[in-house]
Amino acid sequence: MSSSPHPVELQLPCSIAPFVPQSQGMCLLDHIVAVDNDGLQADVTPNAESIFAIDAGIPAWIGLEWLAQAVAAWAGWHARTHRQPPAIGFLIGSKRFETLHEHLAIDHTYRVSIHLDFRADNGLGHFQGEIQDDEGVRLAHGTLTVFQPPASERPEQAVNEETSP
């Protein structure tokens, strides 16, 4: 598929699912609420049926996956604006992921924010991320190192129907 010289205009807020290459219920975030060249903000409201929910709530370490999916959505958003499907990417590592609580309450809305520190030509990227409650209190934060292979080196991937432009 060739990219268009004219980017696609997308409306916010919107469902996050079309922008991440996740399927089978593994897209954990709900909506993109803001996005620009350097970052993204998304909302998630986990409930008792959420895949990682337990009696105590959502284990706070799942917040690391929320941050990684926000990075994937950021990359998917930019791909979609250039008429490309979301590409596969990898979480290489994280530093100093810290949480205030062991669990996050279900049926509360959380704001997941990521900000790009740098992105190298070889596909390596570094992001700062944080999770806030609905009152703006920071509940978790950390840094993520990610890798998205250059287009010429990506394996063929199955794209679910939700991700087709």
Side-chain angles (χ1 to χ4, degrees):
M1 182 183 289
S2 64
S3 67
S4 169
H6 303 289
V8 175
E9 292 290 326
L10 301 170
Q11 301 296 315
L12 292 173
C14 65
S15 173
I16 205 165
F19 303 96
V20 295
Q22 302 284 4
S23 61
Q24 306 300 320
M26 286 303 297
C27 182
L28 304 180
L29 302 177
D30 297 327
H31 300 98
I32 296 173
V33 295
V35 64
D36 61 26
N37 287 335
D38 298 319
L40 178 137
Q41 292 182 355
D43 282 345
V44 59
T45 307
N47 60 43
E49 288 76 42
S50 296
I51 191 166
F52 294 105
I54 59 175
D55 289 340
I58 303 293
W61 55 265
I62 295 299
L64 184 58
E65 177 64 17
W66 289 356
L67 294 175
Q69 288 193 16
V71 170
W74 176 83
W77 176 276
H78 290 286
R80 176 67 71 85
T81 62
H82 292 94
R83 302 181 189 279
Q84 299 293 318
I88 194 164
F90 303 95
L91 174 62
I92 301 298
S94 67
K95 281 179 115 173
R96 294 181 288 276
F97 180 71
E98 299 175 2
T99 65
L100 291 180
H101 307 287
E102 280 190 50
H103 296 90
L104 300 171
I106 59 172
D107 296 325
H108 285 81
T109 299
Y110 300 96
R111 176 68 44 96
V112 179
S113 302
I114 54 98
H115 182 79
L116 176 68
D117 285 334
F118 73 84
R119 189 161 107 179
D121 291 340
N122 67 358
L124 194 64
H126 193 264
F127 290 81
Q128 299 292 324
E130 73 176 22
I131 300 168
Q132 296 178 344
D133 67 12
D134 56 0
E135 295 178 358
V137 175
R138 183 160 72 165
L139 302 176
H141 63 98
T143 61
L144 290 85
T145 303
V146 298
F147 176 70
Q148 186 176 54
S152 62
E153 299 176 20
R154 290 183 195 145
E156 287 188 37
Q157 67 186 71
V159 178
N160 67 37
E161 289 179 19
E162 293 177 317
T163 63
S164 298

